[in-house]
């Protein structure tokens, strides 16, 4: 029977692909892993025993104090809260989750927290937004172009057709040979048909 290798929990904790830290009810950080230290571009002494909210922007600090902290006290659990963490050297957007547990021995309530960096996702969302904005601009340009085409069809094409129809009406009242009259009828029929198609096309473009 092949035995499983012993798990190095300390290495797993420090090398986890997310930030891990433990803090007290008053926000004081008591433990954190190397991943979070790397993301904060800080040394342990710069973070340990500091208030967690010291590493949030003003909006995040206010949101934590007004909403997140009360939820932690009442429910002992929060999930995927969007924060912007920063130090003098680094900053990043993240999703923060935390759950309460009792410290062995003295019954002190602590909170185990995870921080997932979402910088790449935010870049992806920004890129999607840019593409959507570009698509909206292109759509608007296309609609403006179609409106211009419709205008041209309606005014630049139908005006000469109206002249042709008016001319055929005059010719029909004149004494002409049967051959010429057939040509006039054909010209009028073609002009009417073309005018009808232009109207249909204009209606489609402006619908």
């Amino acid at each position: 029977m092949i035995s499983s290798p012993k798990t190095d929990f300390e290495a797993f904790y420090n090398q986890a692909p997310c930030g891990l830290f433990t803090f007290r009810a008053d926000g004081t950080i008591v433990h954190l892993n190397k991943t979070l230290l790397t993301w904060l571009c800080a040394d342990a002494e710069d973070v340990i025993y500091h208030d967690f909210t010291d590493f949030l922007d003003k909006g995040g600090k206010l949101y934590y104090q007004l909403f997140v902290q009360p939820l932690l006290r009442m429910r002992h659990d929060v999930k995927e809260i969007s924060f912007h963490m920063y130090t003098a050297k680094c900053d990043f957007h993240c999703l923060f989750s935390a759950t309460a547990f009792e410290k062995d021995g003295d019954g002190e309530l602590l909170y185990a927290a995870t921080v997932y960096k979402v910088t790449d996702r935010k870049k992806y969302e920004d890129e999607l937004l840019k593409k959507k904005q570009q698509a909206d601009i292109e759509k608007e340009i296309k609609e403006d172009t179609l409106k211009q085409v419709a205008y041209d069809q309606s005014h630049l094409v139908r005006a000469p057709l109206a002249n042709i129809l008016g001319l055929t009406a005059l010719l029909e009242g004149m004494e002409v040979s049967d051959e010429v009259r057939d040509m006039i009828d054909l010209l009028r029929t073609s002009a009417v048909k073309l005018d009808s198609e232009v109207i249909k096309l204009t209606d489609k473009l402006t619908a």
Side-chain angles (χ1 to χ4, degrees), residues 80-151:
E80 297 184 347
I81 306 297
S82 179
F83 282 134
H84 183 195
M85 298 190 72
Y86 79 99
T87 61
K89 296 180 181 178
C90 295
D91 71 285
F92 58 92
H93 293 276
C94 66
L95 292 178
F96 165 86
S97 299
T99 188
F101 68 96
E102 262 190 45
K103 186 178 178 182
D104 293 337
D106 56 14
E108 181 186 4
L109 195 64
L110 296 177
Y111 296 93
T114 59
V115 171
Y116 288 93
K117 200 173 185 180
V118 293
T119 303
D120 291 339
R121 191 180 80 170
K122 186 163 181 60
K123 288 180 180 177
Y124 175 70
E125 290 173 349
D126 290 343
E127 186 62 28
L128 286 179
L129 179 61
K130 287 180 181 178
K131 289 182 178 179
K132 182 181 182 304
Q133 290 173 339
Q134 183 62 34
D136 289 341
I137 291 172
E138 291 175 356
K139 181 181 178 181
E140 186 176 345
I141 292 174
K142 182 179 179 180
E143 289 176 350
D144 289 343
T145 301
L146 289 175
K147 288 178 181 178
Q148 184 61 46
V149 170
Y151 176 85

